[in-house]
Amino acid sequence: MERSNFIKTIIKQDIESGKHETIITRYPPEPNGYSHIGHAMGFINQYYLAKDFGGYTNLRFDDTNPVAEDTEFVDGIKSDMEWLGLKWKNLLFASDYFEEMYDRAVLLIKKGKAYVCDLNSEEIRKYRGDLQTPGKNSPFKDRSVEENLRLFESMRNGEFKEGTHVLRAKIDMASPNMNLRDPLLYRILFAHHHRTGDKWCIYPMYDYAHSIEDAIEGITHSVCSLEFENHRPLYNWVVAECEMKHIPRQIEYGRFNLTNTVTSKRFLRKLVEEKLVSGWDDPRMPTILGLKRRGFTPEAITEFILDIGLSKKGGVTEYAMLEQYLRQDLKLKAKRPMAVLNPLKVVITNYPENETEYVTGVWNQENEEFGSREIPFSRVVYIEREDFLEEKPNKKWKRLSLGLEVRLRHAYFIKCEEIIRDNEGNIIELRCTYDVETKSGSGFSERKPNGTIHWVDATAVKAEFRLYDVLLLDNGKEEYTDRMNPDSLKVINGLIESSLKDVNKYDQFQFIRNGFFNVDVDSNIEEGLYIFNRIVPLKSAFRK
RNA sequence: AGGGCUAUGGCCAAGCGGUUAAGGCACUGGACUUUGACUCCAGGAUCGGCGGUUCGAAUCCAUCUAGCCCUGCCA
């Protein structure tokens, strides 16, 4: 069924009524940090909202506050968006419009709609009143147009210190909407801008700048998050009073949240700075950098975001949903080799010594394009420790136990005959026998094994597995700091089948019965250092 | 003299006056299975509460309740 949401409904109506022919949206990040999955939702939605109707999206950096912004983030955000596979029509910057914004501000002054205010920030706050009390007019509100013009030019020319003067819209100090109590339009900032350098020392505020940017670009639907609802009257005021030809429409939707993780910029930075994670690209981070390194795919993320939908109700989506979209996407894309994370040696006593045969394993039975590989099989193999229990615990146990028979996937049935222990009683080896009649593919059907387990042979290669879990626990605590999952990363050493010797970084696999993994960038294949990130475990109906 | 917004099954979310109230995720059964995976079948809501309008309301009106946002020279 076609996805539907309230914004698409609005757009559809606007097209049917002839209000718009081409739909133009924009993704307006501020280049002051790394993007995360919440930002991805923003761009993905902006992109498809336009694309679904044959329109396009602009990527526009909202660089109106030089104090926080930097080119490093511009480049980072661009590459994040490219990785997601989203294409913008125009790459733009708010700073491209500084001159026009200035001219429009002069127009506002001439119309008597804006004035230079000499109050300092504390005074402005006092004059603004509060939620219950109306504000008072600034004593500078009634300056003459000429004086305002002169003062504003002096601001631009750097004749005043920071904080001494601002340009304000003349609206209504008694408005119940705080945003309309003569909001600031320009402030003085002697800061070096990453694109305009030192050309300007006055910078427009968001509400003023954003409206003009949208209008200049002909944005038809300026989609933003809920917290800007109260700003919409100001947005419309600026567009109207600045006499912009094109009138964009701002529409707000509920921002996306995910359980068991954070997208708070402040907290993410804290994680990095306090080394609670290895960096902005730590595979546990919800940053695009982190998701990429973890092995998440742009396709899964996009489908997930699009399926969540858009509404005016800000909700929290369960992390399990994202996981399932990953599995679905990777299912046919990944080969399905075998890896044993926690090896237990098995000696097949009735298999001839010094002999090796090869068994055929299809890479992915649901995607024949991958073909198959030949897996060496001989007297010694390794199985997963947890696939063996001395006694079958219950009728549902589908693994190996003493006296029981299981199939080694792609190979033979083996039967456990004896357990070898060390001095402390730990199981260190299993002695089994195999049945040559039961070879995989032979059509043997005389009896059923107690299950099928994965294994690796003696030529297996050592590998490190990094098993990730959610960053935050649901423990009822308020503070993120108190919700940190101590087990968000477990590193274990195991074995991968030797056919995986020539993998490449970022290659994705489904290790049979263990989950989806990718090759971490920390790997050094040439030197035999194999590191795998668990992208997501397989679902499991197994219960103790 | 506060204002704005939201409320549909555990989560997300369609629905726009007449439908047995879509779908996805989760969960529970069951089938299948050389991955306890995948796949397949089956299972659950009367729509925040109370009134009203209407032949008919999740959809319109009123009111109540709950939650979120707004008093940066941030965006």
Side-chain angles (χ1 to χ4, degrees):
Chain A
M1 190 182 184
E2 194 192 340
R3 295 179 180 108
S4 173
N5 62 57
F6 77 103
I7 300 181
K8 283 175 113 177
T9 304
I10 291 170
I11 293 175
K12 214 171 285 176
Q13 288 166 351
D14 287 346
I15 289 174
E16 283 165 9
S17 71
K19 183 178 178 187
H20 299 298
E21 280 182 17
T22 306
I23 300 304
I24 308 173
T25 60
R26 101 266 93 114
Y27 175 60
E30 183 187 15
N32 69 346
Y34 292 93
S35 27
H36 53 64
I37 190 158
H39 296 114
M41 180 206 198
F43 198 4
I44 289 169
N45 278 133
Q46 302 285 356
Y47 179 74
Y48 285 99
L49 242 19
K51 190 181 183 225
D52 287 351
F53 297 96
Y56 63 83
T57 303
N58 288 339
L59 172 58
R60 182 183 67 226
F61 287 94
D62 233 336
D63 54 351
T64 57
N65 183 6
V67 178
E69 299 148 5
D70 198 89
T71 316
E72 172 196 356
F73 299 120
V74 170
D75 296 339
I77 291 169
K78 276 165 65 182
S79 73
D80 288 341
M81 297 308 141
E82 279 164 353
W83 179 74
L84 281 169
L86 307 177
K87 308 235 185 309
W88 52 86
K89 170 95 169 196
N90 302 300
L91 175 63
L92 303 160
F93 294 83
S95 49
D96 293 340
Y97 313 127
F98 280 175
E99 201 65 53
E100 173 157 6
M101 287 175 190
Y102 181 82
D103 293 342
R104 299 281 172 179
V106 168
L107 172 66
L108 287 180
I109 293 173
K110 286 180 177 165
K111 290 169 71 178
K113 295 293 185 179
Y115 64 99
V116 173
C117 182
D118 302 1
L119 258 24
N120 63 37
S121 60
E122 192 182 328
E123 291 165 332
I124 286 179
R125 181 160 21 92
K126 280 184 184 154
Y127 273 79
R128 187 149 40 212
D130 59 34
L131 266 19
Q132 275 72 37
T133 324
K136 292 181 301 188
N137 278 156
S138 160
F140 304 99
K141 189 167 183 173
D142 295 319
R143 282 216 247 242
S144 69
V145 168
E146 292 66 34
E147 189 181 8
N148 279 317
L149 249 17
R150 201 179 67 243
L151 255 17
F152 188 47
E153 191 175 352
S154 295
M155 282 171 65
R156 174 180 186 166
N157 292 338
E159 294 166 27
F160 300 129
K161 287 185 185 154
E162 277 185 24
T164 59
H165 298 73
V166 290
L167 183 72
R168 293 231 248 169
K170 205 180 280 187
I171 307 183
D172 178 11
M173 289 306 291
S175 171
N177 182 343
M178 302 297 280
N179 295 120
L180 264 22
R181 318 250 260 226
D182 289 10
L184 277 58
L185 267 22
Y186 269 91
R187 79 287 215 186
I188 299 171
L189 244 32
F190 286 95
H192 186 81
H193 188 283
H194 68 104
R195 295 190 76 245
T196 60
D198 298 314
K199 182 178 181 191
W200 295 88
C201 63
I202 56 172
Y203 291 92
M205 298 289 289
Y206 167 85
D207 289 300
Y208 177 69
H210 207 90
S211 324
I212 292 181
E213 293 156 23
D214 284 346
I216 291 173
E217 292 173 22
I219 302 302
T220 53
H221 304 268
S222 179
V223 177
C224 62
S225 47
L226 247 30
E227 71 258 38
F228 292 102
E229 258 173 334
N230 294 329
H231 295 243
R232 195 170 58 229
L234 178 52
Y235 180 98
N236 293 336
W237 184 93
V238 172
V239 172
E241 295 299 347
C242 287
E243 300 175 13
M244 304 304 293
K245 272 176 275 310
H246 175 80
I247 301 174
R249 172 173 175 184
Q250 175 179 307
I251 303 171
E252 314 83 15
Y253 66 86
R255 196 181 278 206
F256 157 87
N257 291 295
L258 201 55
T259 60
N260 306 291
T261 190
V262 242
T263 47
S264 145
K265 195 172 289 176
R266 215 187 54 135
F267 193 72
L268 292 178
R269 175 168 291 116
K270 179 186 163 83
L271 291 175
V272 172
E273 283 172 357
E274 296 183 8
K275 305 221 183 305
L276 266 19
V277 295
S278 64
W280 288 98
D281 69 341
D282 186 295
R284 291 167 292 180
M285 293 283 272
T287 50
I288 301 301
L289 252 25
L291 300 177
K292 176 184 177 187
R293 179 166 169 192
R294 170 82 167 259
F296 282 27
T297 63
E299 294 81 2
I301 294 169
T302 302
E303 283 301 298
F304 168 69
I305 293 295
L306 256 18
D307 270 354
I308 285 173
L310 233 35
S311 74
K312 293 211 68 164
K313 178 180 60 167
V316 188
T317 300
E318 290 172 347
Y319 191 80
M321 182 166 166
L322 211 205
E323 291 188 309
Q324 185 58 8
Y325 275 66
L326 258 327
R327 295 186 193 102
Q328 284 301 325
D329 183 50
L330 258 11
K331 185 171 65 174
L332 300 180
K333 288 182 180 174
K335 288 182 180 176
R336 320 223 276 215
M338 296 190 284
V340 174
L341 307 201
N342 201 355
L344 174 60
K345 186 178 183 183
V346 171
V347 176
I348 301 166
T349 55
N350 61 340
Y351 197 90
E353 295 199 44
N354 304 318
E355 193 170 300
T356 297
E357 67 177 298
Y358 288 85
V359 296
T360 303
V362 291
W363 277 119
N364 183 330
Q365 69 270 42
E366 293 182 82
N367 183 356
E368 291 180 2
E369 286 177 23
F370 282 119
S372 61
R373 80 290 196 191
E374 298 298 304
I375 309 167
F377 184 84
S378 54
R379 202 165 193 261
V380 173
V381 299
Y382 297 87
I383 66 168
E384 209 73 65
R385 281 203 104 86
E386 41 175 67
D387 282 342
F388 178 79
L389 234 39
E390 185 165 353
E391 274 186 57
K392 182 170 180 166
N394 55 52
K395 61 211 171 299
K396 291 205 165 185
W397 179 253
K398 295 178 66 176
R399 309 177 183 191
L400 192 61
S401 289
L402 194 57
L404 284 181
E405 198 175 40
V406 295
R407 173 183 289 285
L408 292 180
R409 186 178 167 84
H410 301 313
Y412 299 94
F413 286 12
I414 56 168
K415 183 177 182 182
C416 183
E417 310 282 3
E418 186 187 354
I419 299 170
I420 309 294
R421 300 172 192 273
D422 64 10
N423 293 335
E424 284 153 12
N426 301 309
I427 298 174
I428 55 169
E429 182 183 318
L430 261 26
R431 293 286 166 89
C432 299
T433 53
Y434 87 119
D435 181 350
V436 70
E437 299 293 315
T438 60
K439 187 169 183 177
S440 187
S442 66
F444 178 83
S445 60
E446 310 304 302
R447 59 184 191 277
K448 291 280 182 194
N450 192 50
T452 298
I453 64 174
H454 60 278
W455 55 282
V456 292
D457 78 296
T459 68
V461 179
K462 284 183 182 167
E464 174 180 319
F465 300 94
R466 296 179 178 172
L467 309 184
Y468 302 105
D469 197 356
V470 294
L471 222 35
L472 298 183
L473 262 16
D474 289 317
N475 57 7
K477 301 275 179 59
E478 278 289 316
E479 294 294 321
Y480 291 143
T481 322
D482 300 327
R483 292 179 55 196
M484 293 299 293
N485 177 5
D487 299 318
S488 60
L489 168 62
K490 276 188 203 155
V491 179
I492 61 176
N493 293 294
L495 301 166
I496 53 172
E497 59 173 84
S498 49
S499 61
L500 258 32
K501 269 181 184 152
D502 299 321
V503 293
N504 295 304
K505 291 176 180 179
Y506 294 109
D507 280 355
Q508 294 156 322
F509 298 99
Q510 178 192 149
F511 287 139
I512 292 291
R513 299 210 305 138
N514 270 319
F516 292 94
F517 289 73
N518 86 334
V519 181
D520 188 75
V521 289
D522 280 351
S523 300
N524 188 333
I525 311 304
E526 293 70 31
E527 311 241 321
L529 177 63
Y530 296 88
I531 300 172
F532 289 87
N533 297 309
R534 186 171 66 192
I535 303 167
V536 58
L538 254 29
K539 281 204 284 191
S540 172
F542 179 56
R543 298 274 187 283
K544 287 210 167 171

